[in-house]
Amino acid sequence: MVFEGLSSKLQDTLDRLKGKGKLTEKDVDIAMKEVRLALLEADVNFRVAKNFIKKVKDRCIGQEVMTSLTPGQQVIKIVNEELTELMGAEESKVEFSNTPPTVIMMCGLQGAGKTTTSAKLGGLLKKKGKRPLLVACDIYRPAAIKQLEVVGKQLDIPVFSMGDKTDPVNISKAALEHAKKNGNDLVIIDTAGRLHIDDELMGELQGIIDEVSPNEKLLVVDAMTGQDAVTISESFDEKLNITGVVLTKLDGDARGGAALSIRAVTGKPIKFIGVGEKLDQLEVFYPDRMASRILGMGDVLSLIEKAQTAIDEEKVKELEEKMRSQEFDFDDFLSQMNQVKKLGSMSDILGMIPGMGAKQMQNIDIDDKHLVRIEAMIQSMTPYERQNPNSINGSRRKRIAKGSGTNISEVNKLIKQFKETKKMMKKFTDMEKTMKKKGKFSLPFFK
């Protein structure tokens, strides 16, 4: 889970303040020391942590907290607002050109994930109505061009390449002309990286900038490198005046120090975050939503957006009708589970629900592999068994367990849970019918 360590510590500290009917300056001092330590352990830049604590403390010992009837809640509100401000206050949107094509140059060191991120960004903006063209300008790394062509094909996005013998500046210039002729209103240039920052790298990138004047110069950095990501961002910004940052591998960084430090140190916004290896796992960065998630307040808006993008409404309606008529079988159960899997990992989904912060999730056993085992058990059933769960007797259960690499107790548990779910849905349906007969409202589940 993103920010897991920081989130847990902040929630513990602020929960203790919530229990107090009145706060003293000493209470605030103790809490702020704990918050400062939590930020430093999360690899937040020292100066950034120091300034953050000063701002929060100055506001906490003011009238809005000390005279409040719920001082603890006021402190949480202040911490939430200052965290949001620290990460950029609001979403920083891509600057699209008034005269297409819009040019986005992706830059960064080797290993940050530039090539995959370029494709992911193309896929994300394609869903929003753009017609992207990916440009292969990394002529040095073996198979970089091929990699871009492969991911471009997976996303059905054209890739412009002139091989590895042409100068990247000339490739960029030719790609821009190609885009204009072929109706591509977005050009994403995947540039070469180095193992470290050097004059040759910066000179090449500056040459591309001088030739095609990109609307966006996005720096791709690996969140898991912590303070190194901040230092790299400073160096690139100093040389190229970047317009924004894309933080990759944020899903693998439990600390999150880079996300909290980059904006404050460089003054440049985080525009996108990589939250997984799949090509659809690049998201717009919303500072306010991230702050809410860190403090265990959830992120309902992102959850709704994920659901709208991933879930098939027709499938949902069909499943609802089957539940009403008690025709729900294991095929439907599997279909429902696959709909949920499209939203991401269970820990990510739960983390977006208000009240389900890092502290609460410590007590929940979240194992996405369990869903894989359930899927294996259902797929080991015959079509007849999936459509007629009552037919699954002892010998059939043994065969299903063997075929799915599980054991009989797991198969028994799955069948029991399925039957209990059907019983529960029958109760809801019967209750709704009774209420309708009496002229009362229907249950929200079936509206």
Side-chain angles (χ1 to χ4, degrees), residues 10-26:
L10 285 184
Q11 288 173 46
D12 280 342
T13 300
L14 298 175
D15 278 351
R16 285 196 289 274
L17 292 182
K18 276 199 294 187
K20 294 179 179 288
K22 187 177 180 182
L23 288 183
T24 64
E25 194 168 330
K26 185 179 178 182

Side-chain angles (χ1 to χ4, degrees), residues 255-314:
R255 295 177 302 172
L260 288 172
S261 305
I262 282 176
R263 175 65 187 241
V265 173
T266 66
K268 297 301 165 70
I270 299 170
K271 296 207 173 191
F272 301 96
I273 51 173
V275 292
E277 294 180 3
K278 294 178 182 177
L279 292 177
D280 61 351
Q281 290 182 313
L282 183 76
E283 298 177 358
V284 174
F285 182 70
Y286 296 97
D288 54 341
R289 299 184 191 182
M290 189 59 77
S292 291
R293 288 179 70 177
I294 291 171
L295 296 177
M297 297 174 180
D299 182 3
V300 175
L301 285 175
S302 290
L303 186 57
I304 290 169
E305 286 173 4
K306 274 179 175 282
Q308 287 174 335
T309 304
I311 291 177
D312 185 333
E313 286 187 33
E314 288 302 315

Side-chain angles (χ1 to χ4, degrees), residues 5 30 36 49 83 90 138 194 206 219 311 338 371 423:
I30 293 169
R36 179 174 172 273
L83 269 178
E90 58 187 24
D138 185 352
R194 298 283 191 282
Q206 189 60 57
L219 175 66
I311 291 177
N338 287 331
L371 295 180
K423 279 182 188 176

Side-chain angles (χ1 to χ4, degrees), residues 85-151:
E85 186 67 31
L86 181 65
M87 292 187 285
E90 58 187 24
E91 171 201 356
S92 181
K93 297 181 179 179
V94 171
E95 293 292 328
F96 291 108
S97 174
N98 292 325
T99 54
T102 296
V103 179
I104 300 176
M105 184 180 85
M106 310 292 281
C107 56
L109 297 182
Q110 275 185 17
K114 278 193 310 301
T115 300
T116 306
T117 302
S118 297
K120 285 181 176 183
L121 181 59
L124 182 67
L125 297 177
K126 183 182 177 183
K127 287 178 182 175
K128 296 185 179 182
K130 297 296 177 183
R131 298 183 301 281
L133 174 71
L134 296 171
V135 183
C137 278
D138 185 352
I139 61 171
Y140 309 108
R141 182 169 63 87
I145 296 172
K146 182 64 178 176
Q147 182 189 353
L148 190 65
E149 288 172 344
V150 168
V151 289

Side-chain angles (χ1 to χ4, degrees), residues 158-195:
V159 175
F160 182 87
S161 166
M162 294 175 70
D164 58 4
K165 305 299 181 196
T166 309
D167 178 70
V169 175
N170 290 327
I171 295 172
S172 301
K173 184 180 177 182
L176 195 57
E177 292 304 313
H178 179 87
K180 289 175 183 175
K181 289 177 183 175
N182 291 275
N184 299 105
D185 57 4
L186 176 65
V187 174
I188 300 174
I189 302 173
D190 175 32
T191 65
R194 298 283 191 282
L195 293 175

Side-chain angles (χ1 to χ4, degrees), residues 424-433 443 445-446:
M424 184 179 68
M425 296 317 300
K426 187 175 188 307
K427 283 181 182 177
F428 282 138
T429 307
D430 291 345
M431 203 183 300
E432 185 196 25
K433 287 176 182 175
L443 287 172
F445 304 95
F446 299 114

Side-chain angles (χ1 to χ4, degrees), residues 345-348 350 356 361-362 364-369:
S345 71
M346 290 307 295
S347 60
D348 282 345
L350 290 175
M356 288 299 294
M361 287 170 64
Q362 285 173 354
I364 301 174
D365 182 22
I366 302 166
D367 184 5
D368 288 307
K369 290 179 183 175

